[in-house]
Amino acid sequence: MNRDKEVQNLEKRLAELSRTAYQRDIITYSDFLNLNEQNILHTLPKDRLYTKVVSFGGYEMAERQMAAFIPEALYLRYGKRELSMDEICFPFCALRIAPVNFRFAEDLTHRDYLGAVLNLGIERSRTGDIIPGEKGALLFVHNDIADFVSKELTRVRRTSVSAAPLSLKEVEYTPKFEEVRGTVASVRLDSLLSLAFSQSRSRLSGLIEGAKVYVNGRLITSNGYQPEEGDIISVRGMGKFRYEYAGGRTRKNRLSVVISRYV
């Protein structure tokens, strides 16, 4: 299937989820969406969406996120302008994956965990982010495959592991950030990338023009795009950061800015 056809099919599926939510006054949910798919969702024409859309991936700054299509009738029923995560009730949970014996455990990477999960025959769209740590990993999965993965995921590479489900309320994970301060001529996307990744603007401009940079899940291809405070900027293959704020100007008339780089 060519890329254009894949995009059209995804657009159709997302529009149908929104239409179903509107017609039945229920919340409908997508699978986990990667950055490209989130961009397709965000750029759907307004006349193809009948509902509000809220995305969540289990924690702040999650890259893979599930979209919930929420009809206006539910907001009116609750008497609210916004619904809580409990009210939206995203149908996924986390699995805590840990070595059975830490003494003999290998140093496992994101790729190792992902390979082990996909080897179970599970489609990537059914799983969210994988967060490796010193004592194992967190994996976000659809509720309907959580038990299967818990029982069948017994080995990652040569390391025996166990997997236990956690509700989203039980997830205790906060991304770690490194605060970066610097000065820029103006708050442009290419300037912030240069500060975040300590590379030249000219080199990073190629990433923007090459469709590898997303702001809040939306693909941005203009070097001169100006992010707003709090925006999450993701660069495929390099990482992500949050633009915090711009302060005053220096004697050389440059802006002082602060970003939080995900580590």
Side-chain angles (χ1 to χ4, degrees):
M1 183 183 299
N2 62 46
R3 177 169 173 76
D4 288 344
K5 188 66 174 179
E6 289 179 351
V7 170
Q8 292 172 8
N9 287 343
L10 178 59
E11 290 177 338
K12 181 179 179 181
R13 186 161 69 252
L14 295 172
E16 287 176 348
L17 285 169
S18 182
R19 184 184 299 110
T20 298
Y22 171 77
Q23 292 175 341
R24 300 184 183 179
D25 284 342
I26 59 172
I27 301 176
T28 59
Y29 309 90
S30 71
D31 283 338
F32 286 100
L33 305 174
N34 62 29
L35 287 172
N36 282 326
E37 292 164 338
Q38 290 173 53
N39 178 65
I40 292 169
L41 171 61
H42 292 321
T43 53
L44 270 178
K46 292 183 178 180
D47 61 0
R48 298 190 66 182
L49 288 176
Y50 304 82
T51 59
K52 184 173 180 177
V53 182
V54 175
S55 298
F56 184 54
Y59 67 100
E60 182 185 13
M61 289 187 73
E63 183 164 305
R64 296 177 62 81
Q65 300 195 11
M66 182 180 290
F69 299 86
I70 309 173
E72 185 179 358
L74 288 187
Y75 290 98
L76 297 176
R77 186 181 306 167
Y78 283 102
K80 296 180 178 181
R81 297 182 63 182
E82 302 290 340
L83 299 185
S84 69
M85 288 299 160
D86 286 342
E87 291 164 335
I88 297 175
C89 197
F90 281 92
F92 67 89
C93 66
L95 297 181
R96 187 183 302 281
I97 305 169
V100 173
N101 190 325
F102 283 95
R103 182 180 177 183
F104 301 107
E106 300 165 276
D107 185 12
L108 300 172
T109 66
H110 180 281
R111 179 177 295 182
D112 296 327
Y113 289 108
L114 176 59
V117 171
L118 296 183
N119 282 339
L120 297 177
I122 294 171
E123 295 182 3
R124 186 67 174 106
S125 62
R126 307 295 285 172
T127 64
D129 282 5
I130 301 171
I131 308 170
E134 294 181 358
K135 297 183 179 181
L138 279 178
L139 164 67
F140 295 92
V141 300
H142 270 265
N143 287 339
D144 57 7
I145 63 170
D147 286 344
F148 172 79
V149 178
S150 297
K151 294 175 182 177
E152 299 297 326
L153 186 61
T154 58
R155 187 174 295 275
V156 178
R157 287 179 57 185
R158 294 181 299 276
T159 299
S160 295
V161 300
S162 61
L166 301 171
S167 69
L168 296 181
K169 289 183 179 180
E170 295 177 285
V171 174
E172 296 180 356
Y173 174 73
T174 302
K176 295 181 180 180
F177 300 98
E178 175 187 15
E179 184 177 272
V180 179
R181 294 175 177 266
T183 63
V184 295
S186 62
V187 183
R188 290 166 44 114
L189 186 56
D190 54 1
S191 297
L192 293 181
L193 290 183
S194 180
L195 177 62
F197 301 111
S198 301
Q199 296 186 23
S200 67
R201 284 175 56 184
S202 59
R203 180 176 180 182
L204 292 167
S205 293
L207 295 176
I208 299 172
E209 295 166 357
K212 294 184 180 297
V213 180
Y214 298 80
V215 179
N216 298 332
R218 186 186 296 269
L219 179 65
I220 302 296
T221 56
S222 169
N223 293 312
Y225 178 86
Q226 295 190 327
E228 298 182 357
E229 294 181 359
D231 280 353
I232 306 298
I233 300 165
S234 303
V235 184
R236 294 182 63 186
M238 294 189 69
K240 53 191 171 184
F241 64 93
R242 180 171 59 211
Y243 167 49
E244 300 292 0
Y245 62 88
R249 289 192 174 272
T250 67
R251 292 180 180 179
K252 295 183 178 181
N253 200 33
R254 290 174 64 85
L255 277 171
S256 298
V257 298
V258 178
I259 64 174
S260 294
R261 185 170 57 201
Y262 179 80
V263 295

